[in-house]
Amino acid sequence: SSGGANGVSLTTVTGTSNFGAGSLIGATFPTFLINGSNGSVTYNGTITQNTVGQRVVDIQNKTGGTINLGGAISSTGGTGTGILLNANSGATVNFTGGISLNTGANAAFTAPAVERLAPPRTTRPSSTPSSRPPARRSMFRIRRSAGVA
């Protein structure tokens, strides 16, 4: 896809979507946008943003599902705002095709703090006190592969 508001824009989409491969470039707004729901999405093509002040990938408010981006992701021209992952409390996002972000003074990768869930509490015997709080695990994961800049 070339031009238009977004290359891909999914809002509150459930189920599984596979967009195959190809090339997304020249969008006026974020090139690859997902907002809300728990659907799973796979796209193995390239994603490029070269519009001033816009994101190449914007994924927000996901409550579940897996996002697999297997193609090269790039923000060119030094004026974009890179990648945003925000409020994805139960989703897994995989970037496996490489990331190259030239955003100048703008943040290249933004992933604000997300909700974290504590594991179930266990009762410790009084003979083995511990000063450490229970471990916390994140429900949010970013998987990087070799070649991620």
Side-chain angles (χ1 to χ4, degrees):
S1 170
S2 180
N6 306 97
V8 169
S9 177
L10 304 173
T11 302
T12 318
V13 174
T14 60
T16 300
S17 301
N18 186 334
F19 294 100
S23 177
L24 302 174
I25 188 169
T28 308
F29 297 106
T31 307
F32 193 91
L33 173 69
I34 297 177
N35 190 354
S37 199
N38 62 357
S40 292
V41 176
T42 299
Y43 177 64
N44 291 311
T46 61
I47 306 171
T48 303
Q49 179 57 275
N50 54 13
T51 303
V52 173
Q54 294 302 318
R55 299 193 183 284
V56 63
V57 173
D58 185 330
I59 300 172
Q60 299 191 57
N61 305 310
K62 294 286 294 163
T63 58
T66 300
I67 309 300
N68 294 305
L69 299 177
I73 297 171
S74 62
S75 182
T76 61
T79 58
T81 52
I83 294 172
L84 172 67
L85 303 178
N86 184 44
N88 298 303
S89 60
T92 298
V93 179
N94 299 306
F95 296 101
T96 57
I99 298 172
S100 176
L101 305 172
N102 177 2
T103 58
N106 298 322
F109 197 100
T110 306
V114 296
E115 294 178 28
R116 296 181 184 272
L117 303 176
R121 291 183 180 235
T122 58
T123 306
R124 292 190 177 118
S126 60
S127 62
T128 58
S130 174
S131 60
R132 293 183 354 177
R136 294 194 179 264
R137 60 189 154 144
S138 173
M139 295 301 295
F140 177 77
R141 294 178 295 276
I142 298 174
R143 294 192 176 112
R144 293 180 12 156
S145 64
V148 173

